[in-house]
Amino acid sequence: DQQVKQNSPSLSVQEGRISILNCDYTNSMFDYFLWYKKYPAEGPTFLISISSIKDKNEDGRFTVFLNKSAKHLSLHIVPSQPGDSAVYFCAASALRTGNQFYFGTGTSLTVIP
Amino acid sequence: AAGVIQSPRHLIKEKRETATLKCYPIPRHDTVYWYQQGPGQDPQFLISFYEKMQSDKGSIPDRFSAQQFSDYHSELNMSSLELGDSALYFCASSPEWGNEQFFGPGTRLTVL
């Protein structure tokens, strides 16, 4: 049972525009969320996180938004750069009950120069 | 900066053989996680250790076992290998329980 879902397997965006990657979850106990970026032949790299006490977290060009009522989070990248082309995973955990992270299936982002 | 080290990077085994994957966490990280990522799939959590003790168990087959040693490195032992065990195995470490995880480059296991 997939508790974290990324329904868009791929996304193409023009350089300089905004990239929006979406993630939905089913477990209302999740209280900590992460976004990872993964290049081919490398391990995932941590990008940004958000806890359930916040609805927005910003770090440079990356902003994560959390809508707890909709069980939805999104990652905004502004402006998008060709080097952002990678697979993006969202992950969620219920820190109150354990440290197991559940990953989505990933969205492959292509930023077109 | 030091990163998570995994060895070997590539491993080829035959069915019913055993394999041992090693993970060396970032210095002063006391939590280690193991994930399995099959082709075209998301990483699946296998097992985690905190301060050398198992802390969480995911979808790890009974044929697999893992431990964390006194120097905090961890080993994933896989026995009676099956074709379906062919995957990328990631190790991640974090500086404390519940914090973001830093991933290693992965070990690609191919079972023939």
Side-chain angles (χ1 to χ4, degrees), chain A residues 9-82:
Chain A
S10 63
L11 176 68
S12 291
V13 172
Q14 285 289 132
E15 180 179 5
R17 306 294 288 269
I18 183 171
S19 295
I20 300 176
L21 295 97
N22 294 303
C23 179
D24 297 291
Y25 60 96
T26 58
N27 190 340
S28 57
M29 296 295 289
F30 287 153
D31 55 11
Y32 189 62
F33 306 88
L34 306 164
W35 281 95
Y36 285 90
K37 179 169 73 172
K38 184 181 182 304
Y39 294 115
E42 294 182 14
T45 304
F46 170 77
L47 261 183
I48 193 168
S49 65
I50 189 167
S51 76
S52 59
I53 62 173
K54 299 173 110 175
D55 53 21
K56 177 183 174 182
N57 190 24
E58 202 169 343
D59 183 4
R61 295 185 299 114
F62 302 91
T63 303
V64 56
F65 295 91
L66 175 63
N67 183 334
K68 290 184 287 294
S69 60
K71 296 194 183 67
H72 176 84
L73 65 154
S74 61
L75 174 68
H76 293 210
I77 307 174
V78 182
S80 302
Q81 300 173 354

Side-chain angles (χ1 to χ4, degrees), chain B residues 24-87:
Chain B
Y24 298 87
I26 292 172
R28 290 180 294 281
H29 282 198
D30 54 17
T31 309
V32 168
Y33 312 79
W34 285 98
Y35 293 87
Q36 176 192 60
Q37 185 176 23
Q41 297 178 8
D42 53 301
Q44 294 291 319
F45 171 74
L46 292 178
I47 194 168
S48 65
F49 293 88
Y50 170 67
E51 281 293 340
K52 292 156 278 184
M53 294 183 64
Q54 181 183 308
S55 61
D56 260 315
K57 198 170 182 179
S59 51
I60 184 169
D62 292 339
R63 299 177 289 109
F64 295 6
S65 65
Q67 57 181 323
Q68 187 179 28
F69 294 85
S70 57
D71 63 352
Y72 294 100
H73 95 272
S74 178
E75 294 184 5
L76 178 65
N77 298 294
M78 310 158 72
S79 62
S80 303
L81 286 170
E82 301 173 357
L83 296 178
D85 296 329
S86 295

